[in-house]
Amino acid sequence: MKSYKSIIVSALLAGVTLSTTSCIGDLDLEPNDPNTTTAGNLTEETYEAVLAKCYSTMAVSGQYGPDGASDISGLDGGTGQYTRALFMLNEFPTDETKWIWADEGVFDLNTNTWSKGNVNIFGTYSRLYVHIAVCNDFLRLVKGKDSYAELALEARALRAMSYYNVIDLFGQGGFITEDDAAGTAPEQKSRKELYDWLAAELEDIVANMSDATPHYGRVGKDGVEALLARLYLNANVYVGTPAYDKCAQHCESIIARHKGSGFQGSGLADHYLYLFCGDNDAYMPGGNDVNEILWGIPYDAIEITPYGGTTFLCCAGTNNLTWADNNAYMNCEDYGLNQQWGCMHATSEFADKFAAEPNDVRWSMWKKEEDGFKKENKTFSSFTDGYGVVKFTNLLRDGDGNFKVGEITKFPNTDLPLIRLADVYLMYAECAMRGSADHAKGLEYANYVRERAGVSKWTAADLNEQNMIDERCRELYWENVRRTDLIRFGLFTGNKYNWSWKANVAEGAAIPEYMNLFPIPASVISAQPDFKQNPNY
């Protein structure tokens, strides 16, 4: 176990649950164990343990281990885990990856053929609102208690992350805060109403949160401000009014707090792949190196072991293949793990993003032709019909960008980045490309990212739309931003850009514009008939 004691571990060991009403009528949470702490018997000494539940709800599916009950009854504990649920909606429908197993609802996400009854869309919506409900319950407990103001800011930040994902994935959604009594039915708000509330909420949190580095495993000002910048980056999509100038301003604020250390004094880690390995906690807030990971979720091979999080990202992309039996080679133990799933690989279009700079370190660990893997995705269910994507591992840093195998474990020690400083640099560069920030500075910031990856520097003319969307893909792949980026650049729906199995066509085909939003799940509409459905669903 890591030397740090994270707040998530505290929640798991304390067995804290909350008697919480979610924003979904048929998903009311009740404690499974009457001896655990509930909202009705809390004392002031247990408030921080309850805040830990707000954190752990994002990290694990429940409090009884990877094979135990989930916080949401009726959902698989793996697919229903917070970040895995988000990954399925942010990455599966795009050009970055395909899940080759025909799991219920997952094939529809991979092929852009989903409907309002898709179980995984319902699972994601549910997980977001359960998290919002848990945060609301904590905020009700500490409301009016000035001595817990800092903890309240953290809970508001955690809740903001879930409301951001509601805005991004579903547009409109239910809305309820700590100002509403527990059990109050949520009111559906439009995308603009949710956006306006969230922008003001995040601005207030940023203005009142300390600049101090937060304790490991917790969110601080950098992470919150980066989420605000991400909201403003997508404002034109969300509400039809660009806010690139605001995005750039907040990016500059974050960058100013990190300049002076790390790669070329940028605040970035010196080695890209170290950010996704078994001791990447060094780059988390409160870690012992440059804190490029502005907001992340701790994981641990012993205490924090879901089938989502980094276990999902490590194991789904690896397989055990031998030359003798498979005409290809891959082994999960090479990455510090003794379990593999072999079910997620790259599309050929994703691989092509690296073709111009084949020595890019960001794909240097992938399995390619020399390992028996094909670039093309001709057979949907074949793992080797698509390059093997290796980004997240359980390896340990061995200096100068090299790795060593430490203890081989079933679950990784690898923490999960939610927002990194590299994304902030690229957000500013995009704002500059769009004419809302200093062009020379945007070029400088983009080149920090590119030079760290070992590829050529851009010139002024290179800061254009195609290069920008491709660079974000190369740098941020599998970090839950691809669908959002494609929509912002007008490339997700329609026929302007197609990829393997888009619209369930091998070579890709157009999908309608209304699919820029997911449907409000049919079961939610059924439970709350006053809610409106998104158009054309």
Side-chain angles (χ1 to χ4, degrees):
M1 183 177 174
K2 295 174 183 177
S3 58
Y4 304 98
K5 191 74 169 181
S6 80
I7 193 169
I8 295 171
V9 173
S10 299
L12 295 173
L13 297 181
V16 176
T17 58
L18 292 175
S19 180
T20 306
T21 301
S22 78
C23 292
I24 306 163
D26 57 348
L27 280 177
D28 294 340
L29 297 180
E30 295 292 343
N32 292 319
D33 181 351
N35 296 315
T36 57
T37 303
T38 70
N41 61 24
L42 282 171
T43 64
E44 291 195 4
E45 287 73 23
T46 58
Y47 283 163
E48 187 159 330
V50 180
L51 175 64
K53 180 64 179 178
C54 301
Y55 280 94
S56 70
T57 304
M58 298 176 74
V60 296
S61 295
Q63 293 181 210
Y64 302 98
D67 300 308
S70 170
D71 286 338
I72 306 175
S73 60
L75 290 176
D76 174 77
T79 55
Q81 187 271 335
Y82 189 96
T83 58
R84 181 171 170 181
L86 289 175
F87 188 99
M88 287 192 293
L89 269 59
N90 280 308
E91 301 288 358
F92 284 174
T94 77
D95 59 339
E96 285 195 351
T97 192
K98 289 290 165 263
W99 178 275
I100 67 172
W101 295 344
D103 295 343
E104 181 185 4
V106 175
F107 182 85
D108 303 343
L109 295 175
N110 278 272
T111 57
N112 314 95
T113 56
W114 60 78
S115 69
K116 61 187 178 183
N118 185 284
V119 65
N120 293 294
I121 294 175
F122 173 63
T124 305
Y125 188 96
S126 303
R127 178 55 70 176
L128 292 172
Y129 276 106
V130 164
H131 182 241
I132 289 167
V134 169
C135 294
N136 280 341
D137 220 8
F138 172 79
L139 289 167
R140 291 186 187 102
L141 293 172
V142 299
K143 189 174 181 181
K145 296 179 173 67
D146 293 341
S147 57
Y148 295 97
E150 288 295 324
L151 299 185
L153 288 172
E154 289 182 55
R156 289 168 63 194
L158 296 170
R159 179 180 64 183
M161 176 64 82
S162 287
Y163 269 124
Y164 167 81
N165 283 301
V166 170
I167 293 168
D168 184 63
L169 297 169
F170 300 101
Q172 58 185 335
F175 181 73
I176 194 165
T177 71
E178 73 277 15
D179 293 330
D180 302 294
T184 302
E187 179 184 358
Q188 190 178 39
K189 296 284 189 180
S190 69
R191 198 178 211 182
K192 185 178 187 310
E193 288 173 319
L194 289 175
Y195 172 91
D196 289 344
W197 174 84
L198 184 57
E201 175 77 349
L202 286 169
E203 289 280 9
D204 186 69
I205 298 170
V206 169
N208 287 285
M209 190 169 262
S210 168
D211 287 354
T213 301
H215 187 281
Y216 169 72
R218 296 166 76 162
V219 64
K221 188 170 186 173
D222 287 333
V224 181
E225 193 160 17
L227 178 61
L228 179 57
R230 185 176 285 181
L231 180 71
Y232 285 143
L233 182 71
N234 293 287
N236 195 40
V237 172
Y238 297 158
V239 295
T241 303
Y244 297 115
D245 55 339
K246 293 181 180 179
C247 174
Q249 290 166 13
H250 285 286
C251 289
E252 279 281 75
S253 177
I254 299 164
I255 290 167
R257 295 195 289 269
H258 287 262
K259 274 283 192 95
S261 60
F263 181 76
Q264 295 183 2
S266 65
L268 299 176
D270 285 315
H271 304 291
Y272 177 78
L273 290 169
Y274 279 3
L275 292 158
F276 313 99
C277 70
D279 52 356
N280 68 339
D281 53 295
Y283 306 107
M284 289 270 282
N288 57 14
D289 210 313
V290 296
N291 299 146
E292 177 175 339
I293 301 173
L294 305 179
W295 190 339
I297 298 176
Y299 284 101
D300 181 276
I302 299 173
E303 301 287 2
I304 313 175
T305 56
Y307 289 117
T310 49
T311 300
F312 161 70
L313 295 171
C314 289
C315 295
T318 56
N319 206 338
N320 286 343
L321 306 172
T322 65
W323 286 110
D325 296 330
N326 310 101
N327 296 315
Y329 175 79
M330 193 179 212
N331 192 297
C332 63
E333 291 193 358
D334 293 342
Y335 311 111
L337 293 163
N338 60 18
Q339 70 162 316
Q340 51 74 33
W341 303 349
C343 54
M344 201 158 70
H345 59 197
T347 68
S348 58
E349 293 79 14
F350 179 23
D352 285 341
K353 301 291 186 292
F354 295 89
E357 302 264 12
N359 294 321
D360 193 325
V361 300
R362 295 171 293 193
W363 79 326
S364 60
M365 297 179 72
W366 288 26
K367 293 296 185 179
K368 305 166 190 170
E369 280 90 352
E370 60 268 26
D371 304 294
F373 288 68
K374 304 169 188 174
K375 186 179 74 170
E376 290 75 22
N377 310 105
K378 292 182 179 179
T379 304
F380 191 95
S381 60
S382 173
F383 181 69
T384 56
D385 275 23
Y387 285 167
V389 179
V390 180
K391 176 174 182 176
F392 292 86
T393 73
N394 194 37
L395 298 173
L396 301 178
R397 297 172 296 158
D398 197 24
D400 297 326
N402 298 311
F403 290 103
K404 60 185 176 183
V405 178
E407 182 183 3
I408 295 175
T409 59
K410 181 177 180 180
F411 295 96
N413 286 297
T414 311
D415 293 345
L416 179 63
L418 295 181
I419 311 180
R420 293 189 289 115
L421 183 61
D423 190 4
V424 174
Y425 275 118
L426 291 179
M427 283 194 279
Y428 185 96
E430 182 179 333
C431 294
M433 180 269 294
R434 297 183 185 278
S436 295
D438 183 85
H439 193 276
K441 192 175 287 185
L443 182 63
E444 174 192 353
Y445 290 173
N447 280 330
Y448 282 142
V449 173
R450 289 184 56 79
E451 288 187 86
R452 197 257 302 267
V455 298
S456 59
K457 292 177 68 173
W458 279 348
T459 65
D462 293 322
L463 198 61
N464 57 54
E465 281 201 16
Q466 190 62 59
N467 283 340
M468 197 72 248
I469 185 67
D470 288 348
E471 188 63 23
R472 287 187 62 82
C473 178
R474 288 184 289 264
E475 177 68 22
L476 302 170
Y477 69 88
W478 286 24
E479 295 185 55
N480 280 348
V481 296
R482 184 58 174 168
R483 170 192 156 276
T484 310
D485 287 351
L486 288 171
I487 291 171
R488 189 172 65 257
F489 280 79
L491 299 174
F492 185 64
T493 55
N495 227 347
K496 188 175 179 181
Y497 174 48
N498 291 329
W499 53 85
S500 302
W501 299 104
K502 181 181 177 183
N504 201 21
V505 175
E507 63 275 14
I511 58 175
E513 187 175 357
Y514 74 82
M515 297 185 85
N516 281 327
L517 283 174
F518 288 102
I520 306 300
S523 52
V524 173
I525 298 291
S526 177
Q528 297 169 263
D530 55 315
F531 275 30
K532 295 179 180 178
Q533 183 57 270
N534 284 328
N536 296 304
Y537 287 111

